Amino acid sequence: MDILTHRHGAVLAIEFNRPQKKNAFTSDMYVALEAALREGERDDTVRAILFHGQPGVFTAGNDLEDFMKRPPQSMDSPVFRFLEAASEAAKPLVAAVNGPAVGIGTTLLLHCDLVYAGDDARFRLPFASLGLVPEFASSYLLPMVAGYQRAAELLLLGEPFDAQAAYAAGFVTKVVPAAQALDTAREAARKVAALPAKSVRLTKALLKGTHRDAVRNQLQVEAGHFRAMLGEPAAREALSAFLEKRAPDFSKIS
Ligand code: COA
């Protein structure tokens, strides 16, 4: 099973479990992620949801081979259904990040309420270097939390950055020693799950409130570009290069 769920009292933990591929998400994994998240939202005994990978790996983002073979065709595709479910979740979302958190591994955090990064975490937003565009409303949320220039650097240059830089960019709650990230996140999830559920839900709704429509709109606009760009020569070259373990050559592609 590439996605596992665990219950710790009122906390539902959703574990990415494909370490041999750095937890890269396939379409089937998005289906499982959406199902787990929606079940957590539906179940009244769940009061917080925690995302984590294994020691040393959060997720390498979209599985690039799966993306080439089974590109998302519409907003009803597994990836977009998961993005919608996570961006509209009413219950608190907590994340423990260790190791690589690439692409959606970073943009998912913009939708989480409490994010604990180990000092081994390595973030990256490589959309432009893959011939793609930002997703998960990150082109809206990242400038909002990080400021325009910092967001532009992270989204245009797409270079890796560490946990301190992610903290400075505003989407990590706290940086902790690598071995403590999961326990710290679990403890925070347990604490928030022990609070009056309705107050927590309303507080989150109020925090997200003014941006809800803008996030939904940006997510859809990005998704339209993302789907179109996946079929273009630059993305084909970048994805092929990744699979063939070589550097991409964009010199003849506009
Ligand atoms: N899609 C598909 N396979 C992936 C993957 C991805 N996003 N990320 C890693 N893998 C696979 C590798 O191809 C490799 O498979 P192999 O053992 O069959 O050759 C395996 O996972 C281990 O990855 P590797 O690159 O050897 O690990 P690493 O520790 O050297 O580097 C990363 C880890 C995450 C930095 C690196 O794998 C990477 O940059 N991945 C691509 C991330 C990306 O661009 N994601 C898309 C965002 S939209």
Side-chain angles (χ1 to χ4, degrees), residues 193-244:
L195 297 172
K198 192 169 177 185
S199 290
V200 169
R201 258 201 329 277
L202 281 171
T203 301
K204 173 165 176 165
L206 288 165
L207 280 163
K208 300 269 182 188
T210 49
H211 301 288
R212 188 176 303 274
D213 290 345
V215 165
R216 190 180 297 136
N217 181 56
Q218 192 78 348
L219 204 145
Q220 294 198 355
V221 172
E222 289 172 347
H225 288 301
F226 199 97
R227 286 206 319 271
M229 295 296 278
L230 261 177
E232 298 227 351
R236 312 305 290 177
E237 166 59 11
L239 302 190
S240 306
F242 176 77
L243 298 180
E244 292 159 16

Side-chain angles (χ1 to χ4, degrees), residues 117-198:
D119 54 14
D120 64 336
R122 290 291 174 272
F123 303 85
R124 194 172 171 212
L125 295 161
F127 305 112
S129 47
L130 289 169
L132 296 170
V133 294
E135 36 77 320
F136 224 161
S138 56
S139 58
Y140 176 80
L141 290 169
L142 194 59
M144 192 175 88
V145 297
Y148 180 83
Q149 256 73 19
R150 203 189 315 243
E153 182 190 29
L154 299 180
L155 284 169
L156 285 172
L157 297 185
E159 288 169 346
F161 53 103
D162 66 12
Q164 284 302 340
Y167 177 76
F171 62 86
V172 161
T173 309
K174 194 171 182 188
V175 181
V176 297
Q180 290 170 24
L182 183 53
D183 283 349
T184 308
R186 270 199 195 122
E187 180 56 16
R190 193 195 60 72
K191 272 191 200 162
V192 78
L195 297 172
K198 192 169 177 185

